[in-house]
Every structure is written in structure tokens, then in C-alpha cells.
Amino acid sequence: MPAPPRGIAGLSFPYQVLAAVALAVVALVALGHVTMVFLHVAPSNTVSKEYGEQVGDWVYPEFEQNWKLFAPNPLQQNIAVEARAEVEKADGSRGTTGWINLTAEDGAAIRGNPLPSHVDQNELRRGWDFYVDSHDEKARPNGLRGQLSERYIRRIVMLRLESRDLGGPVERVQLRSVTRAVEPPPWSDEKINTKPGYRVFPWWTVTSEDLAEGVRNEGARNQDARNQGAPNNGRTEARG
């Protein structure tokens, strides 16, 4: 007696049709995904220029690739994001904290961790890239993307400061980036200046719009109260 057929052949005809359709859909989605990622990492070409927006919508943020096919561009600089805060003390005076290296905290959380958090790996790094790329040399936002990136990086910073005892509620925050060239390997004769370079951004006044869910900061509430009856666009200040 012959053995009964296995797999799809062992199904009734309606289920065979259903299984074939499902496999075809999966194959088409997989092919489309591979094509989109290929166009994303491939050098600029006619197709990627024509459908760049659609490719970006598919790839970002879940399938982002931080490399380019045929033209790898390894990072040659280490960029650290640092923040300091102006806080209101219990006696009513104000004080300024030292610079806090937020990037170093992410690095410490990743180092030695076999399953590092996506937040530790990418949140601050990608948020900072977004912020810098959408602002000019004078830290002015380039349109709506600039405003969104500014709001995003503010919330990240306030979320990081939430767990710290800074001596009082945060009234203002300032950011800076510290850029250092990656040292050459010991066997290389290449001479590279590893002296850090600083880019300091203006102070901004913290409001409730800068607080992510779960972040409590009385300084923002105080500022909101002072701003009642006056327009508040949450823009960055240039005050020293």
C-alpha cells in the first residue's frame, strides 16, 4: 500500500490552493524586502533616486542599515554627547552641574553585555545624528525636521537626568559634543591628532513639553507657571 502524500500534496485541494497562495505572498514580501534593503545600501542609482522616499519609508526605523554596499565607511571618530543642567536649589539660588557624559553611560551599559538594549545602542546616538543633521552651524533648526529633532533630543536628555540627584529641579539644560579621532593601531605609522574637539550648543529652558512620560521635574512646572499668559514656543535660548 503506497504511503500517503506528505506536505501540501497531502492536503485537500482547497487547502492546497490556500497554502500555495500563502507561500506566494510570503515569497513576494521577502523578495520586496530584500529589494528595498538592497536599494538602501546600494550606491545611488536611477531606481533609488526615483523611489528613494518609498525605500526610506520601508527601511526606517526597523530595518535601518548603517553601511553602504561596495563603499564601506567605517567610523573614524568617537563622538560623545554631554549635558549639564542649571538647577534651582532649596534656598532659591541657582547652580550649574558639571558636564555629564551621556554617551559614556550607554557605552558602559553595552560593554560586556551579550544582549545589549536597543535603547542603549541607538537612542541617543541616532537622536543626536538626527539633531545635528537638521540644524545649521548656529544651531538653528532646518524646518519641521529640525524642530522635531530638537524636541526629541530634549526629551532624551531629560529622561537621562531624571534618575540623578542634581541638587534641585532642572531649569535649563545645555548640550555639547566631544569629538575625538580614533587612534591608529599600534602597528601603524599614521599620525593622527586625537585632541578632542568641542561643539557647544545654546542653553534651553526646560518646559513640560520636554518631559517624556514618567519624568517629573518641578523646574518645568515652574517655567510653565511663569509662562502663563505669554507665548511659549519652547525654542532654544542663546543666553550664556
Side-chain angles (χ1 to χ4, degrees):
M1 182 177 179
R6 297 181 178 180
I8 295 179
L11 301 175
S12 62
F13 180 76
Y15 284 103
Q16 288 182 2
V17 174
L18 183 61
V21 172
L23 289 174
V25 171
V26 171
L28 288 174
V29 172
L31 179 61
H33 174 71
V34 171
T35 301
M36 289 292 192
V37 174
F38 175 82
L39 291 174
H40 176 67
V41 301
S44 179
N45 56 74
T46 303
V47 178
S48 62
K49 291 179 181 178
E50 180 69 21
Y51 301 100
E53 183 176 353
Q54 291 84 344
V55 171
D57 290 341
W58 177 269
V59 170
Y60 294 109
E62 288 82 6
F63 308 118
E64 178 185 2
Q65 307 294 313
N66 192 26
W67 60 283
K68 291 296 182 181
L69 193 63
F70 309 130
N73 185 27
L75 297 177
Q76 298 180 0
Q77 294 177 327
N78 288 321
I79 300 176
V81 180
E82 299 182 346
R84 65 177 178 177
E86 183 181 274
V87 300
E88 183 176 358
K89 299 180 180 180
D91 60 2
S93 63
R94 291 196 176 190
T96 303
T97 68
W99 289 103
I100 302 169
N101 192 329
L102 305 180
T103 300
E105 295 179 350
D106 284 351
I110 295 170
R111 197 170 294 111
N113 187 347
L115 297 173
S117 165
H118 178 75
V119 171
D120 293 330
Q121 294 182 82
N122 296 315
E123 181 184 62
L124 177 62
R125 180 178 63 86
R126 296 299 297 155
W128 185 253
D129 288 344
F130 181 29
Y131 175 75
V132 173
D133 291 344
S134 57
H135 283 68
D136 63 19
E137 291 299 321
K138 295 184 178 180
R140 294 175 299 196
N142 299 325
L144 180 59
R145 283 178 59 84
Q147 297 173 22
L148 290 174
S149 69
E150 189 169 307
R151 183 67 62 203
Y152 183 55
I153 200 67
R154 289 184 182 193
R155 292 191 175 192
I156 291 176
V157 172
M158 291 305 299
L159 187 63
R160 301 296 179 90
L161 297 180
E162 171 71 4
S163 60
R164 292 176 171 271
D165 182 6
L166 301 176
V170 177
E171 296 286 338
R172 297 198 302 162
V173 172
Q174 187 178 33
L175 299 179
R176 75 176 181 183
S177 62
V178 185
T179 303
R180 292 181 175 87
V182 176
E183 295 183 3
W187 46 262
S188 174
D189 295 331
E190 185 179 5
K191 302 299 181 181
I192 295 180
N193 183 7
T194 58
K195 183 179 179 180
Y198 297 90
R199 182 180 178 185
V200 182
F201 290 79
W203 286 91
W204 81 69
T205 299
V206 178
T207 70
S208 58
E209 294 182 354
D210 300 323
L211 307 183
E213 183 177 356
V215 176
R216 300 177 58 85
N217 181 61
E218 293 300 326
R221 293 191 176 87
N222 295 339
Q223 183 62 38
D224 289 342
R226 287 192 290 268
N227 288 338
Q228 283 184 356
N232 174 29
N233 57 13
R235 290 293 305 117
T236 304
E237 302 179 345
R239 292 187 295 166

